[in-house]
Amino acid sequence: IASGSSTLTINTASSCRSFDCTGFTGTLTHAGGINLQVSRNLKLVSGMTHNPATSAYFKMVGTTTGWQITSAGKTISLWIGGVGGSWTLQDTLSAATIFLDAGTFNTNDQTVNTAEFTTVSSSTRVLTLGASTFNLTSTGTVWNWIGSGGSITANTSTINITDGSSTAKTFAGGSLSNYNDLTITSGGSGVVQITGSNTFNTLAINGPKSVSFTAGTTQTIANLRWSGSVGNLITLRSLTSGTAWNIAVTTAVANYVDVKDSTASGAGTPIYNAGGINSGNNTGWSYPEATTTSTSSSTSTSSTSSSSSTSSTSTSSTSVSTSSTSSSTSTTLPPDPTMQPIVEMGGIKLPIAR
């Protein structure tokens, strides 16, 4: 477009080869429900003002490769839909909505902040994330992968669900087998629902948080990192109460997790859930209780006992006690996540490998 400080309004459906705002210092107003189709490059600049209305999309529709998207800190709505086309981010993207309908969208290690990402199509489409951090900032279905023909190249990326409100969020993973890291960082009472049987390098949840899984699905997780604390529990449930949801884990660190209807398997089991709660119908979990220690001022004798269980109905415990003939004081300590549950076999006490 022409350089200068004029006002430009997109108020009718239009198309162009490239939309380049280099030298433009005016105001671009984008009317609601109006799409601008761009075949090649989209370039906004920092010196301009951009006023987009709801559902005012830049639709990338070219069918050739090698094109770029520069948003210069402006919030846009982006639709990638050119069959055979490809677009690569050149800077941080802030988007109200991102649709990937066809073609290739390469985030190019850039940070992406968006209310929602959606790909609902049977066309060939590729999302390449590189080392990007992909922040999902809103509520509702914040990630929605549906349909055949799509693939994700996750590389070393991290997808974050960040909204901390009381409204539910859904990560519809589409049963893809190669997500890298998914982190649920938000507090708030809004439940995060994970649907599909997905594969993650790392699935991290920070308490307090409630997360539900579709019954009968399996999340395959190389590194499970679920970290609650006293008063900040992570609550895990099935979307169908009484019907199990499954996890297959390679390594697991879990603290203060209230879990129900979970079947855990893999090298990372039993999952040692320090400070956690067994709410029933669980397999492959271990539930140590708090450790109680008594001390006295005179010579005393000590005894230690511990137990663990991976059944769905029992709760394991660990206790340490010291007896004495003199006065004593008692202190209740939080569970030690480094302690291993012990199993006794043939009179020999052995730690359970984790």
Side-chain angles (χ1 to χ4, degrees):
I1 64 177
S3 61
S5 58
S6 60
T7 297
L8 174 65
T9 301
I10 303 173
N11 55 13
T12 185
S14 306
S15 61
C16 61
R17 293 182 69 185
S18 289
F19 190 77
D20 189 340
C21 296
T22 300
F24 181 64
T25 58
T27 299
L28 173 65
T29 299
H30 199 162
I34 302 299
N35 300 321
L36 175 64
Q37 293 189 354
V38 181
S39 296
R40 297 187 175 181
N41 296 316
L42 170 64
K43 185 176 183 180
L44 307 183
V45 294
S46 59
M48 64 183 287
T49 299
H50 182 224
N51 295 324
T54 302
S55 299
Y57 284 92
F58 289 103
K59 299 187 72 172
M60 315 309 291
V61 297
T63 57
T64 55
T65 62
W67 309 118
Q68 300 176 348
I69 297 172
T70 304
S71 58
K74 314 304 179 185
T75 299
I76 64 175
S77 293
L78 183 63
W79 187 90
I80 307 291
V83 176
S86 70
W87 289 266
T88 301
L89 289 184
Q90 299 302 298
D91 58 1
T92 295
L93 173 65
S94 294
T97 304
I98 300 172
F99 279 97
L100 175 58
D101 194 57
T104 297
F105 180 41
N106 186 346
T107 61
N108 192 31
D109 304 336
Q110 304 293 333
T111 297
V112 177
N113 303 299
T114 185
E116 60 178 336
F117 171 82
T118 299
T119 177
V120 182
S121 174
S122 58
S123 298
T124 300
R125 60 214 192 277
V126 178
L127 175 63
T128 301
L129 293 175
S132 288
T133 297
F134 205 109
N135 297 312
L136 302 169
T137 61
S138 191
T139 61
T141 304
V142 293
W143 183 277
N144 194 19
W145 195 291
I146 297 176
S148 60
S151 64
I152 182 171
T153 304
N155 303 113
T156 59
S157 62
T158 299
I159 300 171
N160 293 320
I161 298 177
T162 64
D163 178 79
S165 72
S166 60
T167 305
K169 278 74 65 175
T170 297
F171 181 90
S175 296
L176 296 185
S177 61
N178 57 336
Y179 287 106
N180 190 51
D181 296 350
L182 173 64
T183 301
I184 301 173
T185 61
S186 58
S189 59
V191 175
V192 174
Q193 300 178 356
I194 297 179
T195 66
S197 293
N198 310 293
T199 298
F200 302 97
N201 176 53
T202 299
L203 178 55
I205 306 172
N206 298 319
K209 200 64 207 174
S210 294
V211 181
S212 296
F213 300 86
T214 303
T217 60
T218 299
Q219 310 306 314
T220 301
I221 307 165
N223 303 288
L224 182 152
R225 301 292 182 264
W226 295 346
S227 300
S229 59
V230 176
N232 296 294
L233 291 177
I234 295 170
T235 302
L236 304 180
R237 294 293 186 266
S238 171
L239 286 170
T240 305
S241 182
T243 303
W245 55 278
N246 309 304
I247 47 176
V249 297
T250 303
T251 66
V253 176
N255 300 295
Y256 294 94
V257 179
D258 176 355
V259 61
K260 181 181 179 183
D261 296 329
S262 173
T263 298
S265 63
T269 59
I271 298 173
Y272 183 79
N273 183 11
I277 298 173
N278 177 6
S279 288
N281 195 28
N282 298 305
T283 301
W285 292 76
S286 177
Y287 306 87
E289 293 179 347
T291 300
T292 301
T293 302
S294 298
T295 61
S296 66
S297 59
S298 64
T299 304
S300 61
T301 59
S302 301
S303 63
T304 302
S305 65
S306 64
S307 63
S308 64
S309 173
T310 58
S311 70
S312 61
T313 58
S314 63
T315 301
S316 62
S317 64
T318 301
S319 64
V320 179
S321 63
T322 303
S323 62
S324 171
T325 58
S326 65
S327 61
S328 63
T329 58
S330 297
T331 303
T332 299
L333 302 176
D336 183 355
T338 65
M339 294 178 63
Q340 290 181 296
I342 303 297
V343 63
E344 184 169 339
M345 299 179 63
I348 300 175
K349 295 181 178 181
L350 299 172
I352 296 177
R354 300 181 58 242

